Amino acid sequence: MDARFPKIAEQLLLIERELRVQGWWDEVSPSAEALSSVEPFSVDTLDFEQWLQWIFLPRMKMILEQDLPLPAVSGIQEMAEMVFAGRDVQGRDRQLQVLLKEFDLLITASR
């Protein structure tokens, strides 16, 4: 098991919690078609927060549960910056961006 797994698992829980706190957590899944996008971050079918909830978090949890190799890099925080720069979220995204940056740092940390 990769030594980073426990910290990454905790980070995923913090990201989920922040999505819930901000009211960005959906109770109903997007359509199968929306979830099957092949575009990076499913930008053509999902909002960024939906992608985090329905694609990113489940995939990362699966990687941890099945002891699969972690991605070599992560640019998720940069994507968050681009997404939120074009929205009027009045700073509500700041904590989420901090959490995503910490995730990126954990992914690129030495094993």
Side-chain angles (χ1 to χ4, degrees), residues 41-74:
F41 302 99
S42 301
V43 295
D44 58 334
T45 59
L46 299 175
D47 290 335
F48 182 65
E49 299 86 357
Q50 290 176 308
W51 178 83
L52 288 171
Q53 178 182 352
W54 300 104
I55 306 290
F56 169 73
L57 289 174
R59 282 187 186 165
M60 288 306 305
K61 288 176 184 178
M62 181 192 70
I63 286 170
L64 298 179
E65 289 169 357
Q66 296 181 12
D67 196 20
L68 298 172
L70 290 168
V73 295
S74 173

Side-chain angles (χ1 to χ4, degrees), residues 91-103:
R92 290 177 39 209
D93 60 296
R94 284 193 188 113
Q95 181 59 25
L96 181 59
Q97 286 191 50
V98 167
L99 294 171
L100 294 173
K101 182 176 184 176
E102 290 170 2
F103 173 84

Side-chain angles (χ1 to χ4, degrees), residues 8-67:
I8 289 173
E10 178 66 23
Q11 199 64 28
L12 296 174
L13 290 172
L14 292 172
I15 292 167
E16 177 178 331
R17 179 183 171 274
E18 187 62 22
L19 289 169
R20 290 178 184 274
V21 165
Q22 294 301 334
W24 294 332
W25 191 263
D26 293 332
E27 296 301 321
V28 178
S29 173
S31 70
E33 180 180 346
L35 293 172
S36 64
S37 171
V38 295
E39 293 294 320
F41 302 99
S42 301
V43 295
D44 58 334
T45 59
L46 299 175
D47 290 335
F48 182 65
E49 299 86 357
Q50 290 176 308
W51 178 83
L52 288 171
Q53 178 182 352
W54 300 104
I55 306 290
F56 169 73
L57 289 174
R59 282 187 186 165
M60 288 306 305
K61 288 176 184 178
M62 181 192 70
I63 286 170
L64 298 179
E65 289 169 357
Q66 296 181 12
D67 196 20

Side-chain angles (χ1 to χ4, degrees), residues 1-7 63-64 67-68 111:
M1 177 174 86
D2 189 310
R4 297 172 291 174
F5 276 22
K7 288 182 181 181
I63 286 170
L64 298 179
D67 196 20
L68 298 172
R111 295 173 187 224

